[in-house]
Amino acid sequence: MSTLEKTPVGPAPGRFAAFLGPRVGGFPRPFWVLWAGTLLNRLGTMVEPFLGLYLTTMRGLSLTQAGVTMAVLGAGSLAGQLAGGMLADRIGRRATLTLATVGTGAAMLALGYAQGLAAILAAALVLGLLLDMYRPAAQAMVADIISPADRPRAFGLLFWAINLGWAVAMVLGGTLAQQGFLWLFWIDALTCAAFGLLVWRAIPETRTRDARAERTGGFGRVLRDRVMVGYVLVTLLYTFVLMQGMTTMPLAMKEDGLGPRSYGLAIAANGVLIIIVQPLVNAWLARRDHSLVLAAGFALVGVGYGLTSLASSVPAYTATILVWTLGEIIAASVLQAVVADLAPAGLRGRYGGLYGMAWSGGFLLAPLGGTQLLGAGGAPALWLTCAALALAAAAAQLALAPAIRRRRAAVLGVHFSSK
């Protein structure tokens, strides 16, 4: 008998299963419904990236008026995160997520059909309030149904779905915008509503009776948690730096004679690298000390932005984007898991709402601070300041590390003792 005849048939599927198991195995059906809904929602996220262009070209707003409209949207998002956290703890994760996403769909259409600055601002405010209201509920839902040891993997898979959907949405959105901007509003609205209805139909309420009884103290209790407040401030610092790539970088590239197409080519490396690398490293990073992982991610983001001060061509900008994207991948593997470890079961929504404010606040402050730095000292001042802030965030995270380790050890101990 030949060697080929002796070789067992079908080893590849076994190796494939062994590869997938540690990365995607062991999660309950409700998590995969949430994952699919998140991907669907992000596949339809087409309005936000093109909103400025829509307001100036289709509605005739000035750059200043468009900027005010987007600032109103961002301010609404800040309030929406807090409201979403409170509702997730009061009326439940499922109801809050459905209410927010279906409401977002209606508000999206209202903005698409609004005419005149007053109507546009009113619609933008309502949309901002609803747009991110679902996030604390979704985060609390994951913490409710996934064990503490597996939460980093779960949040990492959601991060991957978000970036996969975003990458596809950018391509489709740019194509559909040429056919008419209203297509973007309708697709975004329908995918938002579909996400909420999917969750309502397929996921039972995940908030336990014990969590309802534990819901005391409200946001006052969250704000008295010095570890959580410190973590949110560190995340705000990190987010301010990270968002420069999505807000101020096109302006800096313009000073080097590089237009929107060049920026699009360079920033595409961010999504491509996340889609390829994140699933490969997430399970490994999830097993490491969370604070050390975060500090490494923050520091690498800082190095990447610092190197951007030397860039003046598309390949150079792309190379620096790849560096800080690796840092983003590392940090994203445990960012939300830390919040889930810190939050009592009855206040998971509120903890998620406060954490979400760091992202909404960072996105709101990034263009304001970034453009000031760019105008005052040019690109080197912007990118070197970003490097310093990211390294400061890494140092602050290391200072928080002992307290975060103690809280995680306590959570793991309670989980395993209750089994």
Side-chain angles (χ1 to χ4, degrees):
M1 186 179 290
S2 69
T3 304
L4 285 176
E5 290 173 324
K6 292 178 183 178
T7 303
V9 177
R15 287 197 297 268
F16 186 64
F19 172 80
L20 283 181
R23 291 164 176 81
V24 302
F27 294 123
R29 180 177 176 274
F31 169 77
W32 289 114
V33 173
L34 183 64
W35 185 90
T38 300
L39 177 61
L40 174 65
N41 186 37
R42 295 303 286 187
L43 286 169
T45 303
M46 299 181 182
V47 170
E48 286 179 87
F50 299 97
L51 184 57
L53 186 62
Y54 165 77
L55 293 172
T56 53
T57 58
M58 301 301 294
R59 290 297 180 237
L61 270 58
S62 67
L63 288 175
T64 301
Q65 290 171 328
V68 169
T69 302
M70 289 186 284
V72 167
L73 185 76
S77 176
L78 279 170
Q81 294 270 11
L82 291 177
M86 180 190 70
L87 289 171
D89 289 334
R90 283 188 175 274
I91 68 173
R93 327 314 193 191
R94 178 170 168 253
T96 300
L97 193 149
T98 302
L99 173 69
T101 50
V102 174
T104 295
M108 196 74 72
L109 293 178
L111 179 59
Y113 285 96
Q115 298 190 33
L117 182 59
I120 289 172
L121 287 173
L125 178 61
V126 174
L127 178 60
L129 285 168
L130 293 167
L131 188 63
D132 290 322
M133 190 181 285
Y134 81 93
R135 293 184 187 277
Q139 184 173 324
M141 192 175 280
V142 173
D144 291 341
I145 62 178
I146 303 296
S147 69
D150 287 331
R151 284 173 192 160
R153 284 197 302 132
F155 285 121
L157 286 169
L158 288 173
F159 173 74
W160 185 79
I162 287 168
N163 280 277
L164 176 62
W166 176 266
V168 174
M170 290 303 92
V171 176
L172 293 179
T175 303
L176 289 170
Q178 297 176 352
Q179 310 301 318
F181 277 97
L182 277 178
W183 280 106
L184 307 187
F185 286 93
W186 273 100
I187 291 173
D188 211 332
L190 291 173
T191 53
C192 283
F195 178 25
L197 294 174
L198 176 65
V199 167
W200 183 260
R201 292 276 299 176
I203 301 181
E205 176 54 50
T206 63
R207 185 181 51 147
T208 64
R209 184 176 301 173
D210 291 341
R212 294 172 195 168
E214 199 180 314
R215 179 176 48 83
T216 58
F219 274 110
R221 183 176 168 189
V222 183
L223 294 174
R224 288 192 296 272
D225 186 340
R226 291 183 293 177
V227 179
M228 180 62 188
V229 171
Y231 185 67
V232 168
L233 292 175
V234 169
T235 304
L236 176 62
L237 202 59
Y238 164 69
T239 306
F240 175 88
V241 174
L242 187 67
M243 290 300 164
Q244 297 303 324
M246 312 299 170
T247 55
T248 317
M249 185 173 283
L251 303 177
M253 292 180 70
K254 184 179 178 182
E255 292 191 352
D256 288 322
L258 303 172
R261 182 174 180 275
S262 297
Y263 169 72
L265 289 172
I267 202 64
N270 172 262
V272 171
L273 192 65
I274 289 173
I275 291 168
I276 294 172
V277 173
Q278 196 270 342
L280 301 177
V281 301
N282 186 61
W284 183 82
L285 290 169
R287 297 192 297 271
R288 313 275 80 81
D289 179 87
H290 289 179
S291 289
L292 294 180
V293 169
L294 288 171
F298 295 166
L300 194 54
V301 167
V303 170
Y305 276 107
L307 290 172
T308 309
S309 62
L310 305 175
S312 59
S313 64
V314 173
Y317 273 103
T318 303
T320 64
I321 287 170
L322 290 173
V323 173
W324 60 254
T325 298
L326 285 174
E328 181 187 4
I329 291 169
I330 292 170
S333 66
V334 296
L335 264 169
Q336 289 180 286
V338 171
V339 179
D341 287 343
L342 294 177
L347 294 173
R348 281 174 179 155
R350 287 178 171 87
Y351 270 70
L354 186 64
Y355 169 77
M357 283 191 70
W359 285 89
S360 296
F363 193 79
L364 187 62
L365 294 173
L368 299 176
T371 51
Q372 290 295 315
L373 288 166
L374 186 62
L382 168 63
W383 303 128
L384 293 177
T385 300
C386 285
L389 291 175
L391 292 175
Q397 185 60 46
L398 290 176
L400 287 172
I404 289 175
R405 289 186 193 113
R406 287 193 295 270
R407 299 276 282 271
R408 176 162 176 77
V411 168
L412 289 171
V414 169
H415 175 75
F416 287 115
S417 67
S418 65
K419 281 190 167 183

